Structure formats: C-alpha cells, structure tokens
Amino acid sequence: MILAVGNVKGGVGKTTLAVNIAIAQSRSGREVLLVDGDEQGTALAFTELRAGAMKGTAGYTAVALQGAALRTQVRQLSPKYQDIIIDVGGRDNGSLRAALTVADTLLVPVQPRSFDIWALDQVAT
C-alpha cells in the first residue's frame, strides 16, 4: 500500500497522522517506509528523535524526498516495503503532485474549521 497524507492547507495534522500510521503499521510487523515530502522535514526530525529514544531504531525506515525524486524513488523502493506512507507539505507543489501519481490512496486530514473545509475544493481539483 502506498498512502499519501496531504492537503493544500497547513496545520491540519498531516505529519502527525503520517508518522503515527507508520508506527502502527511497523508495530504490526510490516516493513514500512515513511517518506518526508515536506521541505520542513518534520517527519524526518521526529523519526530521528524516536530512533534516539528507542536506542537506535524507529521501527520503520524514513527518507526525505521532494519533487520528481519522490515519484522516481518511491517507484524504485516500493518492492522492498509492504507500506509506504508519504507525508507531503501544506501547499500545491511538485511533491504533492508527485505523491498523487504514485499513491494508491490519498488521506486528506482536515480540522473542523471553515478554512480547512474550504481547502478541500482545492485538493479535489
């Protein structure tokens, strides 16, 4: 499964969901790759902190990829992992579009606020 977690709106919980899904899947015994497609690099920073706290292993593999490299590398790496979770930043950019071309599913988190709900129109187009 290749799951992209994305939205054109920032601050809706994309990274939190992506890392927690990666953790849950890896804890169930699956080989998981977490792709940090956000230039802020929060998912990768979290993974490094988690690996330090867990004595060297986060329980899953994490890489940072943006733009066309995200599409190319996910396609190459997909046979090696049972699940690939892609965390993409809160704007319409090359990384989000690349993730959409390789993902089986797009998870669009929203907060129950008007601005976040309105952003769904941009994601849908």
Side-chain angles (χ1 to χ4, degrees), residues 16-99:
T16 301
L17 278 172
V19 298
N20 280 290
I21 291 168
I23 291 166
Q25 292 298 90
S26 68
R27 290 185 71 181
S28 70
R30 298 180 64 83
E31 289 294 323
V32 178
L33 174 65
L34 174 63
V35 176
D36 191 337
D38 187 348
E39 294 171 3
Q40 290 181 353
T42 307
L44 198 57
F46 171 83
T47 299
E48 291 170 3
L49 290 172
R50 179 175 168 80
M54 303 212 30
K55 299 183 170 86
T57 180
Y60 55 88
T61 302
V63 297
L65 299 167
Q66 282 90 39
L70 188 150
R71 175 179 34 255
T72 303
Q73 293 299 310
V74 166
R75 284 182 178 155
Q76 289 179 358
L77 293 168
S78 64
K80 299 176 184 176
Y81 295 93
Q82 293 172 294
D83 297 314
I84 298 178
I85 314 300
I86 306 170
D87 173 36
V88 289
R91 61 193 162 283
D92 184 358
N93 62 18
S95 296
L96 174 59
R97 290 175 182 260

